[in-house]
Amino acid sequence: MALAPAIGAGLRRALEDDERVVIMGEDLGRLGGVFRVTDGLQKDFGERRVIDTPLAESGIIGTAFGMALRGKRPVCEIQFDGFVYPAFDQIVTQVAKIHNRTRGLVRMPLTIRIPFGGGIGAVEHHSESPEAYFAHTAGIRVVSPATPSDGYWMTRQAIAAPDPVIVFEPKRRYWEKAPVDFSTPPPEPLGGARLTDLGNGDAAATIVTYGALVSTAVEAAETAAPECGVEIIDLRSLSPIDFDTIEASVRRTGRLVVAHEAPVFMGLGAEIAARITERCFYRLEAPVTRVGGFHTPYPAARAESHYVPGVDRILDALDQVLAQ
Amino acid sequence: MPTSGVLEPDAGSATAPALRDRLDDILDDHHALLGLYRDLAVLRRIDEQCLAMARQGALALWAPIAGQEAVLVGAARAAERHDHLFISYREALMAALRGVPPEQVLPMWRGSALGGWDPDEYGITNPAIIVGAHGLHAAGYAMAAALDGSQDRAIAFFGDGATSQGDLNEALNFAATTTAPVVFFCTNNQFAISVPVAQQTAVQPAQRAHGFGIPSLRVDGNDVLAVLAATRTATAHVRAGGGPYFVEAVTYRLGPHTTNDDPTRYRSAAELEAWRARDPVERMRRFLADSGLLTDADADEVRNAADDAAQRYRTACAELPEPDAAGIFEHVYAAPHPLIDEERRAYADYLASLGGAATPAGPAGPSTGKEVPR
C-alpha cells in the first residue's frame, strides 16, 4: 500500500474507533483532499464528522481548538506546508499553551496534518519544510512518517495522543508503496526513532534524517556500501527527538551526518549536532556534518533539484566525515 | 444603527420597548434589580482594589474595567450556567460573577501563574490576551455543541480593536456558514489602547456583522438593563437555531488600558467627563433610588458587600503562593516528554549544586516592566 492511502486508512480507523474524532480542512470532503488522502471518508462518515471548512487556515485550527474544548478530537488538514503560516498564531499561542496555562486542567488532543517538502515540481508555497518553527515551540509534538506503515500507525497514535501533534507527511512519497501490517503497530513509540540495519557489517558513519529523505539516505548508503557501512536513523519524531537512539549509533560509528530538506541554518540538524556533540564529544571522529536546504527561499520548481538534497549531496557529506 | 437602551442617562424611563419586553421578569422584581446593582457596585470596588494593588506592586498588571461594569454584569447575568463564556482580559472579573474565587482570578495578574481556574467547572475560559483568537474558539465550541445536538451556546467577548483581527472575521464566517450557536459580543469602549474606534473600523462593528449574514444589535453598554436584554435577545436567537448573533455594546473605558497606560495622551478631559455622566453604576443606583427601590438599608448592604469582596481580593492576593522552579516544568505536555524530563533534572541538579541556598530561581517578583497585553 502507498503512503497516502495508508494515512487515509489510519484516519478511517480513528473515525470508526472513536466517535469524538472529527476531520476538518479545505477540500477534504467531496474532493477527498487534493492528494486524496481523505478519499471516501465524508461519504462513509458524513458531513458532520468529515467537514469541508471555509478557506481559512487560522479558522480551521482555531475552531478545532474550540471543538476540542468541547470534547472532540479534531484532525485538521493544512493543504500545503507553506499555507500553515496563517494558522501559526493559533498553533503556537493557543494550541501549544492551553494545557500549561490551565495547569493541566485542559487537554488539547488536536492533530494537524501537513503535507510537506519539495520534489513535486510545484509553485511557490507548496514545497516548504517549516517543521523547525513548530519543533521550537513547547507544548506540541511534531512527527513525520516516512513509510506507509508509519503513515498508518503514526496517524492513529497522533490522534490517540493526549497532546497536540503536528504530522508532517512527505508528499513526494505519497504514492510509494510498501507493506503495511495493520494488526501490529511498529515497536517504536510515537516519540521514538528507528535504526535501519542495512546489513553492511561494521558501520563507519550514521545518517540521521526523516520524511522524504529517508529513502534518499538509504539509496546513498547502498551506493556507499562497498566502501563503508552506514547506519541510518529515521527520526520519525522531530519533537521530542530520540537522542538516545542517535547517541547509541554515533558511539558505534563515531561519525554523523544529519540530512533534511529544511534550511540548514537554525534547522533540526543544528540541534542534533549540538546535543550529540555534548553527549559523545570524545567518541566523534569528525565534526557532525549537515546536509539540507539553503538560506534562500525555496526556489522555483525547475531549480529545486539544486535545493533538495539528493543522493550525491549525502554521499559528499559522508565523504567529508569519513575523510577526517 | 441606533443605540438601544432602557435606562435614560438622567432618568429611569425605558426608551426601547423591544428590549424592555425581555425584562418583564426583572423590572417587577425588586430583588433582581437590587442584585444587578449589587453586582455593579461589587465589580467597581474589586476593580478599584486591583488597580490599587497593581499600583502598589502586588499585581504585575491590571486592566481596569471602570465604566464597563454594565457590560460584564448584564451579559453574565443573561447567560445561563451551561453557556460557555470566552473572555478577554477586560472581562476577567466576569469570572467573579461566575463564582470563580479571587485566588483563581488573580494569579495571572500577579504573575504567579499563566491561568487560574478550570474552564469547565465555571463555564468560562481563562482570559485571552491575543485579542480575537478566542472568537474562533467560541465558534468551534458552538459548532461542536451543535454537532452533539446540545442546547449549549458559546459567547465570545472582545473589544472593538479585536474586530480588526483576521481571526475574529474568520470566526464570524465559520459561525455564519455553519449556523453555530454562538453570540459575538463586542464591547466598543471607543479605544484599542490609544487608537480610536474610527481608525479601527470604517463602519460600526454591529454593521459589519451583516456582511457575514449575522444579525446584530447595538446597545447602550452603560445601561445594565439594556445589556441584559440584548444578551437575552442574542442567546434566544442562537438557541432557536437562528445561527450566530452579534451584539455591540457602546461604552467607554474611564480608566487607562492597563496600569502601564497614560490615557491623557490620547483623549480629552471633556470627553472623559461626558462619559462619567453616564457612569453605569451611578445610573443604576439613580434608577433604583428614583423608583423608590433603594432603601438606606439596601445601600448599606451593597456597600458592605462591595467592601467585603474587595477585602477578599486583597487577602487572597497576599496569600498566593510563589511559584517554584519545579512548577515551570509541569503540565507542558500531558504525556511524558524526554526533553522536559532532561531539563527538569539538569536544573534541579544545578539548584542542588548551589548547596543550602538552593532557593528555586522563580520570577523575582511582580514585574513593573513595559510589557502591555493588547
Side-chain angles (χ1 to χ4, degrees):
Chain A
M1 178 179 268
L3 176 63
I7 293 168
L11 294 169
R12 174 176 292 276
R13 183 62 192 269
L15 284 162
E16 285 166 356
D17 283 358
D18 190 341
E19 278 291 320
R20 299 170 300 173
V21 172
V22 293
I23 294 180
M24 52 200 290
E26 298 160 15
D27 305 303
L28 53 69
R30 277 181 212 88
L31 180 65
V34 293
F35 294 105
R36 307 295 184 266
V37 171
T38 53
D39 194 23
L41 295 182
Q42 190 182 67
K43 183 170 140 295
D44 294 341
F45 295 93
E47 294 179 6
R48 296 164 67 85
R49 298 191 66 200
V50 181
I51 304 167
D52 271 329
T53 66
L55 197 166
E57 285 77 13
S58 193
I60 293 167
I61 304 298
T63 52
F65 180 103
M67 292 181 105
L69 291 182
R70 179 128 188 130
K72 301 293 181 193
R73 296 182 86 88
V75 184
C76 301
E77 178 179 292
I78 299 294
Q79 206 160 64
F80 283 94
D81 35 59
F83 303 176
V84 73
Y85 304 118
F88 191 78
D89 169 58
Q90 283 288 342
I91 296 172
V92 303
T93 75
Q94 309 294 317
V95 169
K97 287 187 170 175
I98 186 70
H99 185 69
N100 186 249
R101 187 191 300 152
T102 58
R103 307 304 293 157
L105 293 167
V106 171
R107 286 189 173 184
M108 186 48 53
L110 186 66
T111 302
I112 303 171
R113 297 178 38 244
I114 308 177
F116 86 121
I120 63 163
V123 296
E124 197 179 12
H125 313 306
H126 291 68
S127 302
E128 299 181 10
S129 297
E131 58 270 24
Y133 294 116
F134 300 102
H136 195 64
T137 298
I140 41 184
R141 292 168 185 273
V142 183
V143 301
S144 182
T147 65
S149 175
D150 272 352
Y152 176 77
W153 287 106
M154 288 170 79
T155 297
R156 292 189 56 191
Q157 289 171 324
I159 294 169
D163 291 307
V165 182
I166 301 181
V167 185
F168 279 103
E169 300 170 359
K171 67 170 91 80
R172 81 181 136 111
R173 306 294 182 204
Y174 267 153
W175 301 107
E176 293 184 8
K177 292 181 179 173
V180 179
D181 180 350
F182 293 101
S183 60
T184 314
E188 299 85 1
L190 189 62
R194 174 180 301 132
L195 179 76
T196 302
D197 178 5
L198 295 173
N200 295 325
D202 287 345
T206 302
I207 300 175
V208 169
T209 189
Y210 55 90
L213 283 191
V214 171
S215 48
T216 311
V218 169
E219 197 181 331
E222 284 167 355
T223 307
E227 297 171 33
C228 132
V230 175
E231 292 190 358
I232 292 180
I233 293 173
D234 174 2
L235 213 48
R236 297 175 78 253
S237 173
L238 318 184
S239 176
I241 287 174
D242 178 2
F243 290 108
D244 292 346
T245 295
I246 306 172
E247 178 184 348
S249 174
V250 172
R251 285 189 177 282
R252 288 190 293 273
T253 65
R255 295 179 171 86
L256 174 61
V257 170
V258 188
H260 49 58
E261 287 187 32
V264 166
F265 183 69
M266 294 282 174
L268 263 64
E271 181 65 37
I272 293 168
R275 296 236 178 206
I276 291 305
T277 302
E278 285 171 0
R279 287 190 179 205
C280 28
F281 184 69
Y282 293 107
R283 290 287 300 134
L284 283 169
E285 303 286 347
V288 178
T289 298
R290 292 169 289 160
V291 184
F294 305 112
H295 194 54
T296 66
Y298 192 90
R302 297 180 76 84
E304 69 180 337
S305 63
H306 296 290
Y307 183 96
V308 176
V311 171
D312 288 345
R313 281 176 62 196
I314 294 175
L315 284 172
D316 184 58
L318 276 175
D319 280 347
Q320 286 180 42
V321 297
L322 288 164
Q324 311 251 351
Chain B
M1 292 170 67
T3 305
S4 303
V6 176
L7 300 178
E8 285 287 4
D10 304 313
S13 65
T15 57
L19 289 184
R20 223 190 140 92
D21 288 348
R22 293 269 175 202
L23 299 169
D24 284 345
D25 57 325
I26 287 178
L27 289 174
D28 295 330
D29 182 345
H30 175 209
H31 184 74
L33 289 169
L34 193 62
L36 290 173
Y37 174 58
R38 185 188 300 109
D39 285 345
L40 293 167
V42 166
L43 287 202
R44 171 70 49 100
R45 279 288 287 122
I46 295 174
D47 184 57
E48 289 169 353
Q49 181 74 288
C50 290
L51 188 59
M53 290 194 292
R55 299 281 189 223
Q56 293 157 358
L59 298 181
L61 189 76
W62 183 247
I65 58 159
Q68 302 183 202
E69 291 90 345
V71 170
L72 276 66
V73 171
R77 291 307 181 216
E80 291 171 29
R81 176 59 191 84
H82 51 263
D83 296 333
H84 208 82
L85 313 185
F86 292 75
I87 60 169
S88 183
Y89 44 83
R90 192 85 56 203
E91 293 87 25
L93 288 183
M94 206 176 263
L97 299 170
R98 283 245 153 176
V100 179
E103 62 271 23
Q104 293 178 29
V105 173
L106 290 174
M108 72 165 271
W109 300 101
R110 179 163 169 79
S112 55
L114 299 177
W117 61 87
D118 182 351
D120 281 339
E121 182 179 355
Y122 298 101
I124 181 168
T125 59
N126 286 223
I129 308 285
I130 306 277
V131 297
H134 61 305
L136 280 169
H137 306 165
Y141 187 95
M143 286 161 64
L147 289 179
D148 290 343
S150 151
Q151 287 285 297
D152 297 358
R153 299 161 294 203
I155 310 179
F157 294 91
F158 50 89
D160 42 298
T163 65
S164 299
Q165 289 273 15
D167 273 4
L168 206 281
N169 289 274
E170 291 187 20
L172 291 166
N173 194 46
F174 269 71
T177 55
T178 59
T179 62
V182 52
V183 174
F184 293 99
F185 194 112
C186 175
T187 301
N188 175 359
N189 70 4
Q190 314 298 327
F191 290 93
I193 303 190
S194 68
V195 177
V197 65
Q199 274 174 262
Q200 205 68 238
T201 170
V203 298
Q204 294 166 352
Q207 290 176 319
R208 292 178 62 177
H210 300 168
F212 292 93
I214 298 176
S216 69
L217 185 61
R218 195 167 200 251
V219 69
D220 183 344
N222 284 28
D223 175 345
V224 68
L225 292 172
V227 173
L228 182 86
T231 311
R232 283 181 166 184
T233 299
T235 54
H237 173 91
V238 305
R239 176 171 287 180
Y245 199 92
F246 191 105
V247 176
E248 176 190 356
V250 182
T251 181
Y252 194 83
R253 155 166 59 78
L254 294 173
H257 163 64
T258 69
T259 36
N260 288 331
D261 179 34
D262 176 9
T264 64
R265 284 170 171 259
Y266 55 82
R267 60 190 198 190
S268 71
E271 180 182 280
L272 183 61
E273 283 318 302
W275 280 95
R276 272 195 203 287
R278 301 165 60 86
D279 183 314
V281 186
E282 173 59 16
R283 271 169 79 180
M284 188 61 179
R285 189 202 65 77
R286 209 159 50 223
F287 168 72
L288 290 176
D290 292 353
S291 310
L293 297 173
L294 190 72
T295 65
D296 287 348
D298 291 335
D300 285 346
E301 186 266 328
V302 167
R303 198 175 303 111
N304 289 337
D307 287 345
D308 288 351
Q311 186 55 45
R312 280 199 300 279
Y313 271 71
R314 182 166 283 279
T315 303
C317 183
E319 291 174 352
L320 282 179
E322 281 299 288
D324 60 9
I328 68 175
F329 298 102
E330 297 302 315
H331 308 302
V332 183
Y333 295 88
H337 191 285
L339 180 60
I340 300 288
D341 293 342
E342 183 182 323
E343 293 187 349
R344 181 198 287 112
R345 261 195 317 274
Y347 192 59
D349 289 348
Y350 163 75
L351 291 179
S353 76
L354 301 178
T359 307
S367 159
T368 51
K370 297 290 183 213
E371 284 295 311
V372 183
R374 287 180 295 157

